[in-house]
Amino acid sequence: MALGDLMASRFSQSTVLVVPSQNHHDDSTASSSSSAVAAAANNDDADFPHRRDSEVAIASSSGHYGGNAATSMAYLPQTVVLCELRHDAFEAAVPAGPSDSGLVSKWRPKDRMKTGCVALVLCLNISVDPPDVIKISPCARMECWIDPFSMAPQKALESIGKTLSSQYERWQPKARYKCQLDPTVDEVKKLCTTCRRYAKSERVLFHYNGHGVPKPTANGEIWVFNKSYTQYIPLPINELDSWLKTPSIYVFDCSAAGMIVNSFIELHEWSASNSSVSQRDCILLAACEAHETLPQSAEFPADVFTSCLTTPIKMALRWFCTRSLLRESLDYSLVDKIPGRPNDRKTLLGELNWIFTAVTDTIAWNVLPHDLFQRLFRQDLLVASLFRNFLLAERIMRSANCSPVSHPMLPPTHQHHMWDAWDMAAELCLSQLPALVEDPNAEFQPSTFFTEQLTAFEVWLDHGSEHKKPPEQLPIVLQVLLSQCHRFRALVLLGRFLDMGPWAVDLALSVGIFPYVLKLLQTTTPELRQILVFIWTKILALDKSCQVDLVKDGGHIYFIKFLDSMEAYPEQRAMAAFVLAVIVDGHRRGQEACIEAGLIHVCLKHLQSSCPNDSQTEPLFLQWLCLCLGKLWEDFSEAQTIGLQGDATTIFAPLLSEPQPEVRASAVFALGTLLDVGFDSCRSVGGDEECDDHDKCRAEVSIVKSMLCVASDGSPLVRAEVAVALARFAFGHNKHLKSSAAAYWKPQTNSLINSLPSLANIKGSVGGYPKQNQHMPHGSIVSPQIGPIRVGNDNSPVVRDGRVSSSSPLASSGIMHGSPLSDDSSHHSDSGILNDGFSNGVVNHTGPKPLDNALYSQCVLAMCTLAKDPSPRIANLGRRVLSIIGIEQVVAKPLKSSGVRTAETAASPSLAGLARSSSWFDMNGGHLPLTFRTPPVSPPRPSYITGMRRVCSLEFRPHLMNSPDSGLADPLLGSSGASGTSDRSFLPQSTIYSWSCGHFSKPLLTAADDSEEVLARREEREKFALEHIAKCQHSAVSRLTNPIAKWDIKGTQTALLHPFSPVVIAADENERIRIWNHEEATLLNSFDNHDFPDKGISKLCLVNELDDSLLLAASSDGNIRIWKDYTLKGKQKLVTAFSSIHGHKPGVRSLNAVVDWQQQCGYLYASGEISSIMLWDVDKEQLINPIPSSSDCNVSALAASQVHGGHFAAGFVDGSVRLYDVRTPEMLVCGLRPHTQRVEKVVGIGFQPGLDQGKIVSASQAGDIHFLDIRNHSSAYLTIEAHRAHSRL
């Protein structure tokens, strides 16, 4: 236990659990060491007579917790690893990148619409009152702000019609306007049909003023005139509707206008129920309810409803004048003299209009459902203006006991509190009006409306969240973007809002922010660049469809310039690279536009200029430069050519060793996209065609070699991209790779000799490992006289202490871990089918291979290694890659052995990699659900490629393809499997881009909400740890014969106690992990470490003990798997998995890997039957370097110091012990040989508790335990003979 190393006491009485071992001489290091230590602990004579001062250096004389807290706190591990985005359920699912459909597309109006024609029908019949109206005196007389009795009736009618037309033109200047004054039915019909014919599919507005005719009838009729104006003629609404058709909008300004709305609704409901035609797009605005009469007070104009709709500012101010505190001192006629233009926001009239738009937009957005808001306020400019003004009409006319009506119906808005803000702005305007009218040159005082609303929005940002009511000021922020003086602050606040999550981005888009921020990309203001890039990052992280708009408006140029500017921070330039990556993602026009703008050269330039050790280089920037280039090159040969000409392969090579896995994976992805899928001129297989593009071929070779270098990377994210890249290579070089794989099945012995050298040397020539790991020259592989080696034959090597006899054929063959000759899966009952390239066992070569045969062999080997990856997802990808070259791996899960291994499983580890039998029955019988099409003529030869065997004329049963035990990710091979995969849709897809996009969907400006909880939990655990360390330092020694819990678990190999909860974790020989609550004796969770357990678990460790701990399970073959949520039943998740041991000695497979974890610096140490100790940085998921063990023997035990980072000790098979410090250049600190009486392997080693870094405990298989002090090399200061029950000094 890591925290236990801080304790200076010898044993703790708090939590000790001993799992008894029946035989301490077995191969389990854990069992042997635990038995030896237990024997020593139970020995009465084992108590230490002397305790040196250094042993209790951490303890204070006072014995109180407070006295040594500061000392101990410094040694509590502060490193937290494996908590990045990539570790969040990598195996479970792949997050989707920015979307262009579904929920996010709702913000974009489905059908942008325009009102193309306006029909104005005025039935005023000036000087003749309708019979059903009794007017009061004085009475409202103004029509379009014209007194109809101030001139001749006909002239007044024409003037009113012309004025109404001009008032509407202010809202929609491009529409065609037609007016009919006191018309007949035929004239109305002609007007409507003409408008519909002109408007085509656009909207038609029909405005009806019926102040000079009777009210509409209950049957749904409005009134017009006959030709002689002697009669009122009814016009049925259904006829009007049939003439105007759809889409249309009606404005009815007459008494009882609600009657028409009701008739329209009934008409549409009837037509909808009697036809399959979709609902008609018909909008209605009516001045009052069906039972109401228009206001007649002289305070209002006669057409108050029309005035509100067409001249809202004038109407609002006139109405407000009668209610303002300024009404006594204000001349109402000044309202008509407000200086400025409605569209100039720097003038008083323009600012009033701007504020009015913001207020009405805000009311509508906060009151209406979002889909209705989109339809009425964002789809059509004229409709939006009319509905904004309709909100004013409701407010004004309700004061006169008249309720305007609309269809679709709106909720009441006349008492919304935003009207108070409008009243304040109006009053400020009116107070300045006399002075401004008197002196036209005087400057008006701008309203504080927008400043105050931005402040209100900022307050919401400080306290709001997704679960609270959305900020009602959002539409105002949109309006503020139009003003230069408020723009920067508004953008910053908008950026803060968008950073709250995708829900906030969706809200901002639904309110209509998109066209505004798109237009702002045309500005050159320097201070806006950073915040605009941030805002676009947030938008594109949600919705990819914006890429089309950006390219159309040339917005990509803005981001390329920003990317190329050295003034911006790397994190901000990474956002620009992300935006550009989304622009070119699957968008050919975007790719072409970015190529024209020189994006490739910009990205390559900055990748080339970035120094790996430069602290200014932001990993996120490098990552997105790579992803941007990858997306630009993806399936676009022109871009690929430019990239290769820019020496992209050389520029990317250093990035494959970057410390951040995301950067490495992104670099692999980008290089993979440079591999063409399919045969081109470079890969022609015709006999008379030459390879005319040597540069491209060389680049391809360089890319593939780079892929092979990182095929064993510690991060599954990187290995997944390697698998995807190799799949592309396999698709393009399908036949050559099949031929290379087929060479292993050729019956001639010399073919085996010719094909193996490249495989044996892959680790040295491509893998980047030291040459000393290769123990034989290039050519000496297998002599022609040595045939297939089988278990039990005369050529079996002698195995003792994990060493292979040098005289055995096995040792002289260049077999390496992960190669075709080291079958790590032999107990899995693996088999395979070579689908293509064979005809009755004969290989069909169709032409010369354009690339080196050795490279193809290495690729096949890498594919096989990926197919056996400890990460299930990577293994699936590897099998999919193999399927492309015609090798189908079928995996049948073995029957779980209950405590006892079968004789076959218990065979010597060194022989486990070979075919167990050459008999047809032993190789293929009983386990594999295969069906013969034709019986085999003769038993096939044993396989030399792991997990795959050449089988003549076999095919899958139909149900096997979907069988969960088939080992295939999904039924990829189907009908085309028999001839090799030829459809590009079968290629596995890269995931690094989607994973990386998730970063920008999360909050970037603030820390996560749970950070305070995490810190509080950590502080609590630190306090708990220090208190218990102090307690243990001053407690009496407890015998280990008094268990705190006890139960029988057969087959347990290793166990682990949780430091902060009553949890014990145990693993058995079948790699079944069980988690128990030892206080309640209940099983919390139980799961398999992986699907094919036959190695056993050699070590269990807790990672991030002081935080949310992870469970590290190290299998005996060196595979590491780290689990989260391991105590939750059925909810455990694999965080990461990798193979910790590379570069085996020739002829040796690791089945006795030893590992240890060091939380203090985040290092994992691993070794086994190799000549070095592998040092892994788990946080970077990267092999730092192999440390030479300085011994010819294998490492049999490892222990890392949990107090002093970088220190670890190793015990060897020959009984020697060595101490290392990875911080020093030579690394080896000292070497000791304590176990001299009986030379047996060291089975247990550890640092003594306390702060003394030079004290080590070593236990050998002979049972002697030595307590060592490296300052005294001569001998141990304490020795315990565990098996003889005594100790000596």
Side-chain angles (χ1 to χ4, degrees), residues 789-818:
I789 302 174
R790 292 174 289 177
V791 173
N793 68 1
D794 296 333
N795 291 329
S796 298
V798 179
V799 180
R800 185 174 184 272
D801 294 337
R803 288 168 287 183
V804 183
S805 168
S806 60
S807 62
S808 70
L810 186 62
S812 62
S813 64
I815 306 171
M816 302 181 62
H817 176 66

Side-chain angles (χ1 to χ4, degrees), residues 775-792:
H775 294 262
M776 56 187 307
H778 180 81
S780 57
I781 305 298
V782 182
S783 65
Q785 290 78 20
I786 299 175
I789 302 174
R790 292 174 289 177
V791 173

Side-chain angles (χ1 to χ4, degrees), residues 883-933:
S883 71
I884 293 174
I885 62 171
I887 301 173
E888 301 170 13
Q889 196 177 59
V890 185
V891 181
K893 291 186 180 181
L895 296 175
K896 300 280 179 150
S897 59
S898 58
V900 182
R901 290 175 181 259
T902 62
E904 182 184 42
T905 308
S908 171
S910 300
L911 299 176
L914 301 176
R916 294 185 298 277
S917 172
S918 61
S919 72
W920 177 256
F921 177 81
D922 286 347
M923 291 177 61
N924 300 287
H927 296 293
L928 299 179
L930 300 174
T931 303
F932 291 102
R933 282 188 295 196

Side-chain angles (χ1 to χ4, degrees), residues 4-10 54-55 1247-1252 1255 1257:
D5 286 358
L6 288 172
M7 303 178 186
S9 61
R10 298 178 304 289
S54 59
E55 291 181 63
F1247 286 84
Q1248 289 191 43
L1251 301 182
D1252 197 332
K1255 293 196 171 184
V1257 183

Side-chain angles (χ1 to χ4, degrees), residues 846-859:
T846 55
K849 298 182 180 180
L851 301 184
D852 182 25
N853 286 346
L855 187 64
Y856 287 128
S857 301
Q858 292 165 3
C859 287

Side-chain angles (χ1 to χ4, degrees), residues 1022-1073:
E1022 285 178 348
K1023 183 179 179 182
F1024 178 91
L1026 294 174
E1027 287 175 348
H1028 282 71
I1029 288 171
K1031 180 180 177 182
C1032 292
Q1033 287 168 353
H1034 303 285
S1035 63
V1037 175
S1038 173
R1039 293 180 180 274
L1040 296 185
T1041 54
N1042 303 322
I1044 58 175
K1046 190 175 183 179
W1047 60 90
D1048 187 20
I1049 309 174
K1050 291 186 178 181
T1052 298
Q1053 282 191 319
T1054 182
L1056 175 67
L1057 280 166
H1058 197 287
F1060 300 111
S1061 55
V1063 168
V1064 62
I1065 306 161
D1068 64 19
E1069 59 187 5
N1070 290 321
E1071 301 199 35
R1072 183 78 178 172
I1073 298 174

Side-chain angles (χ1 to χ4, degrees), residues 623-828:
Q623 177 185 348
W624 277 102
L625 284 175
C626 295
L627 291 172
C628 181
L629 283 173
K631 283 295 175 183
L632 188 53
W633 290 332
E634 197 170 42
D635 301 326
F636 191 24
S637 57
E638 182 183 342
Q640 293 167 8
T641 302
I642 297 174
L644 293 175
Q645 290 171 350
D647 202 17
T649 54
T650 305
I651 293 172
F652 272 88
L655 298 174
L656 299 178
S657 57
E658 280 287 314
Q660 291 76 20
E662 291 89 350
V663 177
R664 302 197 301 270
S666 302
V668 172
F669 163 70
L671 286 173
T673 57
L674 286 174
L675 295 171
D676 275 343
V677 180
F679 289 94
D680 56 17
S681 59
C682 172
R683 308 192 194 93
S684 297
V685 294
D688 55 352
E689 292 187 19
E690 295 295 332
C691 182
D692 58 356
D693 196 351
H694 298 291
D695 290 339
K696 194 165 187 178
C697 287
R698 279 197 298 270
E700 198 161 47
V701 171
S702 173
I703 292 170
V704 174
K705 287 184 177 180
S706 298
M707 297 296 106
L708 297 175
C709 286
V710 289
S712 298
D713 193 274
S715 172
L717 203 62
V718 179
R719 300 197 304 276
E721 297 307 314
V722 172
V724 171
L726 287 179
R728 292 176 65 89
F729 179 70
F731 199 94
H733 292 256
N734 195 294
K735 293 186 179 180
H736 306 302
L737 284 166
K738 287 178 182 178
S739 299
S740 182
Y744 306 132
W745 280 275
K746 280 191 176 182
Q748 295 85 359
T749 310
N750 61 351
S751 66
L752 177 65
I753 297 173
N754 294 334
S755 62
L756 283 178
S758 58
L759 295 173
N761 287 280
I762 179 174
K763 294 295 184 185
S765 62
V766 180
Y769 299 108
K771 289 291 181 181
Q772 62 262 29
N773 286 350
Q774 294 171 219
H775 294 262
M776 56 187 307
H778 180 81
S780 57
I781 305 298
V782 182
S783 65
Q785 290 78 20
I786 299 175
I789 302 174
R790 292 174 289 177
V791 173
N793 68 1
D794 296 333
N795 291 329
S796 298
V798 179
V799 180
R800 185 174 184 272
D801 294 337
R803 288 168 287 183
V804 183
S805 168
S806 60
S807 62
S808 70
L810 186 62
S812 62
S813 64
I815 306 171
M816 302 181 62
H817 176 66
S819 75
L821 296 182
S822 63
D823 183 5
D824 284 351
S825 319
S826 60
H827 301 313
H828 303 171

